[in-house]
Amino acid sequence: MTQETNSIETLVKKEYKYGFVTDIESESAPAGLNEDVVRMISLKKEEPEWMLEWRLKAYRHWLTLTEPKWPHVKYPPIDYQAISYFSAPKKKGEGPKSLAEVDPKLLETYEKLGIPLREQERLAGVAVDAVFDSVSVGTTFKAQLAEKGVIFCSMSEAVKEHPELVRKHIGSVVPYTDNFFAALNSAVFSDGSFCYIPKGVRCPMELSTYFRINASNTGQFERTLIVAEEGSHVSYLEGCTAPMRDENQLHAAVVELVAMDHAEIKYSTVQNWYPGDEEGKGGIYNFVTKRGMCKGRKSKISWTQVETGSAITWKYPSCILLGEGSIGEFYSVAVVNNYQQADTGTKMIHIGKNTRSTIVSKGISAGKGQNSYRGLVEIRKGAANARNFSQCDSMLIGAQCGAHTFPYIEVKNTSSRIEHEASTTKIGEDQIFYCNQRGIETQDAVNMIVNGFCKEVFKELPMEFAVEAQKLLGVSLEGSVG
Amino acid sequence: MSNTILEIKNLSAGVENKRIIKGLNLTVNAGEVHAVMGPNGSGKSTLASVLAGREGYEISGGEVSYLGRDLLEMAPEERAREGVFLAFQYPVEIPGVNSTYFLKAALNEIRKHHGEQELDAMEFLSLVKEKMKLLELRDDLLKRSVNEGFSGGEKKRNEIFQMAILEPKLAILDETDSGLDIDALKVVSEGVNKLKGPDNAQLIITHYQRLLNYIVPDFVHVLWDGRIVRTGGKELALELEEKGYDWIIKQEAVPA
């Protein structure tokens, strides 16, 4: 056994590819948070009064809350007064009216990241909204989407252009009273994406938002809202990167999804925030609240996440299954290497009759990483014939990492059926040797074994992103086995 | 004299202060089939592991040359790419990794190593079809994950199938016959026989003689206490079957 641990633990660090900083003049609010800062953000965004009121209520509520301590993660206390709550690339005069007016340096950044915003160069069939620090820098394909009645724009724009829709739905799934970070986000959210799919429309392309933190000492607090009306269908993907910095940066986002009768929302995340260096210095604190409401009958919300970045990840994309026969799904791959920590999972709240949910979670721990799955399956009294299937698998690479599982199951209806399967495996020297003996070198063998382990989740991702996710996994684990 | 593929000289090896192989000599030439037989604990599997480069073994003396190169200096994957193939006694399961994908990756690594063009999916599939006939393999095995949920016989057959695709110079079969019923044994043996050629060699490690009813070796070696104590033709295997290992071991203790 000693032989095995020795050889497995030779850790080499792969450089974080997205760690560059864009040299762009930005306008940041001074560090600190008070009502004036909240007002300033609202003013900058030229928001209506109701929005400001809502922010202020959230801020006041936040003051009464304390940071949650129950996640299985460790980090020094966060000084909320040392963070700047707003940063925006400086605009020349008026804001950009079209992509042609966006600062070329910003477009360059996105190109470096492989996210071309110029429409002629864009990925076929994917509309992109890009959020740089706190503001959206441009949304592609707006016109084509508008033909179908699909609204896809930045949250700031939505507040101004579609106030009735935003007002109706914002906070309806994640109220500002929900938790500490949701309250904070509600008070200071800067931008994010808004999608509205009208009745009966199948969104003609993948929608995608790309989040980038650039400025230092800033938090990023975006808010995404997706509303799918009756019988509509949308597939949405978000990607995230940040520069390498020594200090930790806070990212506290809120995502709300609303699905009406027979509507379907597929939400995929490839999260690759800067994870910190091999000594655990720096990296993003990714404290996110994501929740979907299956409001209508036979509606469906499916979360797929591939989490490879961030120093600390704390998120539970959840589904409230209110509508009769609605379906919630959660497919997750969470990777921790070096000193990364993740406490992630889902909540499936079954309220309506004949609701169904599926949870497939794959946790991979390498280096000194700590990975926890935390999930709640709750069957309320009226949820007759509800069904849940959960599968939580952990894979350990090396002997210094950890995998933990915290499944909570609450059943208040006797006609429901719940299945929970769990496994923990250690990537075996035997498996690696078997691959070696066939001519495959160790790093490729690890990638192959890990990708095999995650297969059930990858197949849920849209094609082009599945390939991306596999590569990302390879990079994240590079050097984890010597 | 024919081309030497493998030459083991006075090899000593073991694990953590325990010597298992104690001064072993063996020469294998192209076109030859060698059987290494011996009771449990004689060092058969250790020999296979050391030749393939499995970690955890200590080489305390001797040398192994493979096609004129120092085999012990080569990384396991390099040995594989240079044509050393081990058919595992216990093939490992790799969940979620498709068998065909795995084998294609392996073959292309070997081809790359030799400066040959990698095969694309179509070329590879036609190669697979051709070799599958050889082993009467059910094609659904190739749609499944590597060895996952395979029966013992299927795993062994899959090993020989991989051997057929990878076309090694030196194939080491580590107790391939263990756990096989008679039908599977026949199929596996036929496969091995068909893969025999003038440019390659096979080293068959086995406990029992019965595999040698189907694979006819040019040489039979008896391994006991880490050394080859007797070498003969195929008739030696039959004699062993009849008289048991004790017969040789006794003779060994009291040299004639």
Side-chain angles (χ1 to χ4, degrees), chain B residues 58-119:
Chain B
E58 222 169 86
I59 314 290
S60 49
E63 51 195 72
V64 180
S65 118
Y66 170 72
L67 299 173
R69 290 182 62 190
D70 183 353
L71 183 74
L72 302 177
E73 281 298 305
M74 292 156 74
E77 60 270 27
E78 199 190 347
R79 300 180 196 199
R81 292 171 193 170
E82 283 288 334
V84 176
F85 180 92
L86 174 65
F88 284 69
Q89 183 176 5
Y90 304 108
V92 180
E93 300 188 3
I94 310 179
V97 177
N98 175 272
S99 288
T100 312
Y101 171 79
F102 175 79
L103 197 46
K104 179 166 164 269
L107 179 65
N108 280 334
E109 286 297 342
I110 292 168
R111 293 182 66 94
K112 253 196 308 199
H113 181 74
H114 292 287
E116 293 162 355
Q117 195 151 19
E118 294 180 40
L119 293 189

Side-chain angles (χ1 to χ4, degrees), chain A residues 1-4 7 429-431 433-442 444 448-453 455 470 482, chain B residues 52-56 76-77 80-81 84-86 88 92-97 101-102 105-106 109 147 159 162 166:
Chain A
M1 280 325 262
T2 48
Q3 190 74 33
E4 181 170 337
S7 68
E429 200 78 345
D430 281 353
Q431 287 174 319
F433 178 64
Y434 190 76
C435 296
N436 287 160
Q437 215 301 307
R438 297 296 181 256
I440 298 162
E441 63 186 64
T442 300
D444 293 342
M448 203 182 255
I449 294 163
V450 169
N451 274 307
F453 176 71
K455 199 180 196 173
Q470 283 192 21
Chain B
R54 190 191 280 270
E55 278 194 49
E77 60 270 27
R81 292 171 193 170
V84 176
F85 180 92
L86 174 65
F88 284 69
V92 180
E93 300 188 3
I94 310 179
V97 177
Y101 171 79
F102 175 79
E109 286 297 342
N147 291 320
E159 291 292 289
Q162 294 186 10
L166 301 179

